[in-house]
Structures are given as C-alpha cells and as structure tokens.
Amino acid sequence: MTVPNSPVIGPSAVPHLDVDPFAMSFFADPYPTHEKLREAGPVVYLDKWNVYGVARYAEVHAVLNDPATFCSSRGVGLSDFKKETPWRPPSLILEADPPAHTRTRAVLSKVLSPTVMKQVRDRFAAAAEARVDALLDKRSFDAITDLAEAYPLSIFPDALGLKAEGREHLIPYASVVFNAFGPPNQLRQEAIERSAPHQAYVAEQCQRENLAPGGFGACIHARVDDGEITATEAPLLVRSLLSAGLDTTVNGIGAAVYCLARFPDQWQRLREDLSLARGAFEEAVRFESPVQTFFRTTTREVELSGAKIGEGEKVLMFLAAANRDPRRWDKPDSYDITRRTSGHVGFGSGIHMCVGQLVARLEGEVMLMALARRIAKIEITGEPKRRFNNTLRGLDSLPVTITPA
Ligand code: HEM
C-alpha cells in the first residue's frame, strides 16, 4: 500500500491497494482483504481495475444514499455505459436513476408488496414443509442442490408464472448477470460467451403471452393497461425478477443453512424459539452477504470522507465488508440470530434497496421454520465447495446429514 501525501483531486490522494477483489484467491477467503481495505482508509484506490473502493460501513452507506452523485444509470458493474456498450439492454430499475427509476420501482414495489406476500405465504410455507419431508427421507444430502436451490426453484418460477419448459436456464442466466457486473476477467468473459441460449429463453419468457395469469409477471404486464409503464418496458421489468429473484435467494438460504450448521448453539436457540427464524435469515444475509459488491459512477466531482473524487469515476462498494465493519457492528464475525441487524447493507440501502426483499425474507423464514421444527441436528459431513462468481457469494456443494427431531 502507498499513501501519497498531496491532497489533490484524484486517485493520487488516497491509499492505493494492490488487491484484486475479483480474483479466485480473494473469493476463497475475502475476509483478510476486507479488513485491509477497511483499515487502509475510508476511500481507497484499486490499481488493478482503476476504481475507487469503499469498504467501511459509513462510506458504503453514504454512497448508497446519494444516488444523484453516485449514479446507477452508467452501470452497477465495472463497465461504464457511457463509454462501453452494455452486454444486454440495461435494467430499467437497477441500472436507472430518478426520475426513470422512480416510476419502474413503484411498479415492482406494488407487484411484490406486503399484501401480495400474504397471498403467497401459505403456498411458500407448504412447499418448504414438502421439501423438508423429502430431506427427512434422505437424511444425507447436498444442502445446496437439494435444499437451497431446490426450494426456491419449487416456488419462485411458479409464482412468476413461468412455463414448465426451459426452467433449467434460470440459474445459469442469473449467474451470467451477476458475473457480468465484474471486470473483464475469465469468469465474466466465459459467462457472456455462453449466455446466448439463456438470454433467448429469458427474452421469450418475459413476453406477456408466456406468463400465467395471476403471477408476478402477469401483474407487471397488467400495469401497461393502467398506463404506468409501456408495453416495451414490461418484459424488461419481468426480466429483472428473472435476473435477481432466484440465484440471490438460493445463496441467501444456502448462507443461512451453512451458518446454522456451523453454529450449533444458534441452531438450538432457533429450535427453542421458532419466532427467531426471520432474524436467523436476516443475520445470515448480513454475515455472508450473498451479494458482495456493486459499483456506482460519479456524476460530478465529489468529496467523500476527505477524498476528492473526479467526475465519471467508478466506485466499488464492498457491501460484505461494511456488514462486518467493527466500527458499526459489535462482534461482527459472530453469527448471532438475536442481533439487531437493522441497517445492514446486504439488501443495499436507499432508493435501490432490494425491491424483492420481502420475497427473500418470506422464503428464508418459512424454510428455516420448517427445518427447525422437524430437525434436531444438521452436521456437515464433507468439504463444502465454493461457487465462484464476480458478485455472488455462495457454495456449490454442502454435504450434510440431518437427525430428525
Ligand atoms: C437474499 C436475497 C437477496 C439479496 C441478498 C438481494 C440483494 C440486493 C441488493 C444488494 C440490491 C441493491 C442493488 C443496488 O443498490 O444497486 C438489490 C436490488 C434489487 N433486487 Fe434484490 N436481493 C435478494 C433477493 C431478491 C429477490 C427475491 C428479488 C425479486 C423477486 C430481487 C430483485 C431485486 C431488484 C429488481 C433490485 C433492483 C432494485 C432497484 O434498483 O430499485 N432481489 N438486491
């Protein structure tokens, strides 16, 4: 690390770090580097990709909550849409700024509202019970494929109103989307090279005639009739749910099960009080941060915690590092299901804060309740294998054996 002493605008005025937060070695164990990033200063510069970085809670929160200065419309990955053509048409919500964002966000907020969650809750809970029945029959299984993936796949595509055929494209498509936020490394290049069949599937599924009545997808299209969005915007908003609604919860549920299997005292606490299921899931989102990073682009010259950043600079927000910043959290590296997690940035913060968070929380809560009610013990019986992605953190495989209650 070098710390130049001239307080000028631009990268020379902040600590430079020679770390690659998109390298396999980083993904394998990001925590020592997260600490290095936080301790180096409130704002750092990463020479590997020529971007600013923020890893402390205060600065990550500040950037998330100043969308006029730190915009999303130039892409929330490394690629600057002002300088490069995006790999797919930009998202109308994630990669948009107000006022355009305000309108599309209102539509998705209504489609995924608390009232809608009440309507799907029983269905989601019954599917969680059915999944646990199947796992109890097996006793030994892979907690990623057989649980963290199988459960959301058994409810979310139906809730969206997708056809039965072609659903095998969903997780690979999401993996492309989240890899594509990263730099032009091997993960991103290979993902985009293989994306054509997944993109074709998704484009087709987002059309009104392919979505079952009553599902989230049809509800988005119905907003066209009210004049809230146009007929060309609707399929792209459905695409947002296909992009962000499945792999995220797979990794969120995977994180929660991985935490509860590693921290048996927390598992016991949950078993004794099922009302802690929601907190256990939320704490897993803080602790593991399934979505690790997002970028913003500066719209003007700005001073952030003493660092002067010029216009048109990419700023990488380490959500995961902020979620374990000791300046903000007491014992940040312990998984505590009774922790007051409010304010964590695992779902983001501010105007872009996850619009699907109620869906994620509902899935997490009903699954953890179903598990804790019927299972006494979860033991890890083999080496967990990590799944590498430029944005998402999660496992590829987690062999476990369960003991019935
Ligand atoms: C544990 C699961 C999930 C996590 C950790 C997660 C995380 C996030 C984060 C960090 C953001 C903020 C992006 C930014 O500030 O640029 C976000 C936004 C978003 N999420 Fe999620 N998400 C999850 C589940 C879901 C689900 C289930 C859906 C859809 C049903 C969804 C749809 C979206 C959409 C459309 C946005 C963009 C919102 C906007 O730009 O206004 N997410 N999510």
Side-chain angles (χ1 to χ4, degrees):
M1 183 181 94
T2 51
V3 188
N5 46 24
S6 58
V8 293
I9 300 170
S12 62
V14 299
H16 283 229
L17 266 81
D18 179 25
V19 297
D20 180 2
F22 299 99
M24 298 294 179
S25 53
F26 172 84
F27 295 145
D29 183 13
Y31 302 109
T33 311
H34 282 163
E35 188 178 353
K36 215 162 144 186
L37 288 159
R38 281 189 306 255
E39 296 314 311
V43 181
V44 299
Y45 196 77
L46 305 178
D47 292 308
K48 172 78 183 170
W49 302 111
N50 290 321
V51 296
Y52 286 87
V54 286
R56 294 184 186 173
Y57 181 86
E59 283 71 28
V60 169
H61 190 265
V63 170
L64 284 167
N65 284 280
D66 183 1
T69 307
F70 300 97
C71 80
S72 292
S73 59
R74 285 170 75 169
V76 295
L78 176 66
S79 170
D80 182 351
F81 294 175
K82 207 168 167 180
K83 298 176 186 157
E84 282 175 70
T85 310
W87 71 279
R88 61 170 193 174
S91 160
L92 298 181
I93 175 164
L94 182 72
E95 294 157 334
D97 297 324
H101 170 265
T102 317
R103 194 167 53 84
T104 51
R105 169 95 190 182
V107 169
L108 288 194
S109 297
K110 258 187 253 170
V111 171
L112 304 172
S113 69
T115 314
V116 175
M117 292 309 108
K118 274 194 201 130
Q119 290 159 6
V120 297
R121 188 181 173 99
D122 287 350
R123 233 188 306 147
F124 280 28
E129 295 292 342
R131 182 85 319 250
V132 174
D133 281 341
L135 298 176
L136 280 166
D137 283 345
K138 283 189 163 195
R139 296 286 172 93
S140 291
F141 55 88
D142 188 327
I144 302 305
T145 43
D146 298 332
L147 196 174
E149 283 184 6
Y151 173 59
L153 275 171
S154 74
I155 44 165
F156 190 69
D158 287 336
L160 256 168
L162 298 182
K163 288 189 172 154
E165 314 83 67
R167 291 180 178 189
E168 68 280 3
H169 288 286
L170 289 169
I171 289 187
Y173 179 73
S175 157
V176 177
V177 170
F178 285 99
N179 270 320
F181 293 125
N185 56 11
Q186 200 182 345
L187 274 175
R188 182 179 200 266
Q189 307 301 65
E190 287 184 2
I192 294 176
E193 272 161 30
R194 294 201 203 110
S195 66
H198 312 313
Q199 277 192 272
Y201 162 79
V202 166
E204 186 64 20
Q205 287 310 299
C206 292
Q207 300 306 314
R208 191 167 196 168
E209 64 275 17
N210 292 326
L211 293 158
F216 300 152
C219 291
I220 293 174
H221 280 280
R223 302 286 158 193
V224 175
D225 308 334
D226 302 341
E228 287 176 47
I229 45 171
T230 67
T232 35
E233 288 173 325
L236 273 177
L237 285 175
V238 178
R239 194 193 69 178
S240 287
L241 302 194
L242 267 79
S243 304
L246 193 64
D247 215 5
T248 48
T249 56
V250 167
N251 286 299
I253 293 168
V257 174
Y258 190 32
C259 285
L260 290 163
R262 276 177 298 169
F263 301 94
D265 57 322
Q266 299 302 305
W267 174 249
Q268 281 317 319
R269 258 169 126 169
L270 173 60
R271 291 202 61 228
E272 283 155 22
D273 181 359
L274 293 181
S275 74
L276 294 172
R278 219 172 162 77
F281 180 71
E282 203 68 27
E283 170 70 343
V285 174
R286 179 200 70 85
F287 188 81
E288 285 289 344
S289 298
V291 174
Q292 293 268 297
T293 48
F294 268 125
F295 288 86
R296 293 291 191 261
T297 315
T298 52
T299 56
R300 61 174 177 91
E301 193 184 300
V302 57
E303 186 170 329
L304 178 63
S305 302
K308 286 214 172 104
I309 307 177
E311 183 275 336
E313 297 285 352
K314 281 281 172 182
V315 179
L316 175 55
M317 303 177 293
F318 289 90
L319 306 176
N323 276 341
R324 291 194 185 202
D325 182 355
R327 291 162 191 78
R328 169 67 177 75
W329 307 99
D330 188 30
K331 299 204 189 88
D333 297 323
S334 62
Y335 174 74
D336 173 1
I337 67 171
T338 56
R339 181 192 293 278
R340 290 168 62 108
T341 52
S342 110
H344 80 76
V345 288
F347 286 115
S349 177
I351 64 164
H352 289 279
M353 188 172 179
C354 184
V355 77
Q357 59 189 282
L358 300 183
V359 178
R361 290 196 179 113
L362 175 59
E363 288 183 22
E365 182 190 3
V366 296
M367 178 43 92
L368 294 189
M369 277 177 113
L371 290 168
R373 199 179 289 128
R374 321 238 322 262
I375 294 168
K377 215 161 134 193
I378 306 176
E379 279 170 289
I380 300 176
T381 50
E383 194 60 37
K385 257 204 249 122
R386 195 146 287 288
R387 185 174 289 178
F388 296 102
N389 183 285
N390 279 330
T391 306
L392 298 175
R393 178 168 179 80
L395 295 175
D396 207 35
S397 136
L398 177 64
V400 297
T401 297
I402 51 172
T403 311

